[in-house]
Amino acid sequence: VLWTSVLPMQLLLDATGFEGRTRTLDALMEGARIALAHTDRGTPVTAVRDGDGWRLRGRKSLVLGGDGASRILVSARQEGGGLVLFDCPAAQPGVSLQRYRLHDGRGAADLLLEDVHLPAAARVAGPERASAIIDEALAFVTIGLCAESVGAMRKALALTVEYMRTRKQFGRSLADYQALQHRVVEHFRQWVHARVLVREAASGWLSTSPVERAKRISAAKWMAGRAGRAIALDALQLHGAVGLQDETAISHYARRLAANDALLGDMTFHLGRLAALDDAPSPGSAA
């Protein structure tokens, strides 16, 4: 949902100059899957004029949701260096998708474009708008990813507490040990902090300045990554060997939390970005 519905929806809502915008939005609402290919693999994907259309060449990696998408929104560099965004059918001649699964089971693909010809109407956004549209959509999806992590953390904690109540060791349930109770309480506290920061970022999406919004996004992503990884690792440890089995739900929640931290900038990246934004002079301040 996040990668093939929410992300393309946000991109298309901002692409007001795209001829096929209404038609593509209707297709999304009817269940079509559309993925964004933005991460270049090696040299950037290039777009050159070809008659009344365009010709694309290059590779993209880690197209999340690309394994099942019917269309791909591809970013490319056109002549002159500007970034443009194209709507490309996955079945278009010259398009190859190497599909695979991430370690948490999420689907993705690597995209190869070999002289792919697209009509002029396939251009979703030109160099004057494409970068801003993509950055805005990725920021929006980052908050969605954080919200997913908050839900996964809560479920992982609930599963762990329930297991601790039923698992007995030396004649006592694990939940009776005070040291383990303190560990769970600390994780609950971190989950609360992550939830608050995600809600703050979401509630101020339209009302805060771009710099303040970027700060809130990075704060939420940092806390979601930090708390999520800690809960994932400790939940596995408290479950013991059973927590590493595919048959147990906790193993899947732990893998999803670890993957969510790595996507769209991990906690180290966002902590650094937050520090840089705090150090940057505010608009209108003296040099």
Side-chain angles (χ1 to χ4, degrees):
V1 172
L2 194 61
W3 307 109
T4 60
S5 181
V6 176
L7 177 55
M9 181 77 71
Q10 193 67 23
L11 287 165
L12 293 167
L13 286 174
D14 286 344
T16 54
F18 176 37
E19 293 181 20
R21 177 171 174 263
T22 301
R23 180 182 67 255
T24 310
L25 284 171
D26 289 342
L28 270 175
M29 288 186 286
E30 291 172 3
R33 295 182 179 183
I34 302 176
L36 172 66
H38 185 53
T39 304
D40 288 303
R41 184 177 179 182
T43 57
V45 169
T46 58
V48 297
R49 285 284 186 181
D50 183 22
D52 60 351
W54 297 87
R55 193 165 294 277
L56 273 60
R57 302 183 183 93
R59 296 174 180 267
K60 295 285 186 179
S61 63
L62 196 62
V63 182
L64 289 163
D67 59 318
S70 59
R71 308 188 73 84
I72 310 290
L73 298 176
V74 184
S75 64
R77 292 285 173 184
Q78 69 174 28
E79 296 167 294
L83 187 72
V84 286
L85 186 65
F86 291 95
D87 176 21
C88 178
Q92 186 79 1
V95 174
S96 300
L97 287 167
Q98 181 182 355
R99 298 170 174 86
Y100 52 86
R101 292 279 172 183
L102 303 185
H103 80 280
D104 66 331
R106 198 166 3 206
D110 289 341
L111 174 68
L112 173 62
L113 304 167
E114 296 180 295
D115 289 326
V116 177
H117 181 269
L118 296 175
R123 196 176 79 159
V124 176
E128 68 285 348
R129 288 280 292 137
S131 291
I133 288 173
I134 293 172
D135 289 345
E136 181 86 358
L138 289 176
F140 188 84
V141 171
T142 300
I143 294 302
L145 190 65
C146 291
E148 180 184 283
S149 292
V150 168
M153 280 186 261
R154 186 68 184 90
K155 183 63 176 180
L157 280 173
L159 289 171
T160 302
V161 169
E162 181 62 27
Y163 180 79
M164 290 171 61
R165 288 171 176 165
T166 57
R167 177 73 166 88
K168 293 189 179 297
Q169 193 173 65
F170 304 115
R172 300 169 59 189
S173 68
L174 294 181
D176 291 337
Y177 291 91
Q178 191 176 57
L180 299 184
Q181 293 174 10
H182 289 174
R183 283 165 64 176
V184 172
V185 169
E186 175 61 21
H187 291 317
F188 183 82
R189 183 184 66 83
Q190 290 191 352
W191 170 75
V192 170
H193 288 173
R195 184 181 62 171
V196 168
L197 288 173
V198 172
R199 285 181 173 178
E200 185 176 355
S203 64
W205 184 260
L206 297 176
S207 59
T208 58
S209 68
V211 173
E212 178 61 26
R213 186 171 69 178
K215 288 181 180 180
R216 294 186 181 190
I217 292 171
S218 282
K221 188 65 167 67
W222 167 72
M223 193 67 227
R226 180 186 179 191
R229 277 192 175 273
I231 289 172
L233 294 175
D234 224 17
L236 292 179
Q237 185 181 39
L238 289 170
H239 275 79
V242 70
L244 302 177
Q245 305 298 317
D246 280 345
E247 292 79 3
T248 57
I250 192 62
S251 68
H252 297 279
Y253 281 104
R255 280 181 284 188
R256 177 55 60 94
L257 287 169
N260 282 2
D261 175 45
L263 294 172
L264 301 179
D266 64 8
M267 57 180 171
T268 302
F269 169 83
H270 280 282
L271 181 60
R273 192 176 83 149
L274 182 60
L277 290 169
D278 278 336
D279 290 340
S282 60
S285 63

